[in-house]
Amino acid sequence: MRGTGRVHIYYGYGKGKTTAAIGATVRAAGAGLKVLFYQFLKDNSSSERAILEEMPNVTCLPGKEHVKFYTQMNGEEKKEYRRYYTKALDEIVKFCSGFDVLVLDEILDAVALGVISEQKVLSFIDHKPRGLELVLTGHDISEEMRARGHYITYFEKEKHPYDLGIIAREGIEY
């Protein structure tokens, strides 16, 4: 592993958090760094995955299939969701030591929804492999998370077609 193992946090309610994380992935892979990429709260059908899975030096771990919005789930589905993603994070923690960069897209939202324990994420940050660069995305961050970030970028929406009822377009928003 190269580098000092900084923590990057891309958060807010503007478009571009995942795009920025993918840019960091592409840059690192282009420099010969090994990148591990995982998306919480999303299925495996996003357009960005299609290209990332083809890139040398990038490993995309498969996520849950047929993901629906957390707010549309019943209590049992939410419990299963929490079990699934807690296990996924545990496996990522075990698996990431051979990588230079770890991208955990939407993990901040998983924390905010109570799908993943914030304490578990904070503990991982505090004990991550030396030199591992970590990229986290989502809408909100706690003060504890903020204290651990080295690069923190806030994305603010000024205007978005969704506000007018225009649905997301493949290749542009997903």
Side-chain angles (χ1 to χ4, degrees):
M1 297 209 191
R2 303 185 225 169
T4 55
R6 304 277 188 217
V7 176
H8 307 246
I9 299 173
Y10 303 136
Y11 82 105
Y13 286 84
K15 181 182 177 319
K17 298 173 294 291
T18 296
T19 305
I22 291 166
T25 298
V26 170
R27 177 181 290 135
L33 300 177
K34 290 177 59 181
V35 182
L36 182 60
F37 186 91
Y38 187 76
Q39 293 180 298
F40 288 85
L41 312 178
K42 294 179 179 178
D43 63 23
N44 301 309
S45 66
S46 66
S47 298
E48 60 264 18
R49 284 188 66 93
I51 196 67
L52 289 178
E53 288 172 350
E54 301 296 320
M55 290 183 65
N57 299 326
V58 176
T59 300
C60 291
L61 294 176
K64 189 165 181 49
E65 291 295 334
H66 311 294
V67 175
K68 65 183 186 180
F69 289 112
Y70 190 74
T71 55
Q72 297 173 339
M73 294 180 184
N74 63 37
E76 190 55 41
E77 289 172 317
K78 288 178 179 180
K79 280 170 57 176
E80 193 279 324
Y81 213 51
R82 286 190 293 271
R83 282 191 298 269
Y84 179 88
Y85 283 116
T86 297
K87 183 177 180 196
L89 182 58
D90 289 343
E91 292 300 314
I92 291 165
V93 167
K94 287 186 226 172
F95 188 64
C96 72
S97 63
F99 291 86
D100 302 298
V101 178
L102 171 60
V103 176
L104 298 175
D105 187 37
E106 302 295 349
I107 194 166
L108 301 175
D109 289 344
V111 167
L113 290 169
V115 172
I116 296 285
S117 156
E118 181 175 39
Q119 199 52 48
K120 182 182 270 292
V121 177
L122 294 172
S123 178
F124 170 63
I125 293 169
D126 292 342
H127 300 98
K128 69 179 182 56
R130 186 175 188 281
L132 180 67
E133 206 79 10
L134 184 58
V135 179
L136 313 173
T137 73
H139 289 99
D140 296 302
I141 60 172
S142 67
E143 287 307 311
E144 293 88 355
M145 199 72 72
R146 182 183 306 282
R148 286 162 173 83
H150 299 100
Y151 301 90
I152 300 176
T153 303
Y154 178 70
F155 291 73
E156 182 177 8
K157 177 185 73 155
E158 189 170 313
K159 183 177 181 181
H160 196 291
Y162 184 77
D163 298 335
L164 301 173
I166 298 171
I167 62 170
R169 298 166 297 153
E170 183 175 5
I172 303 300
E173 285 89 17
Y174 71 94

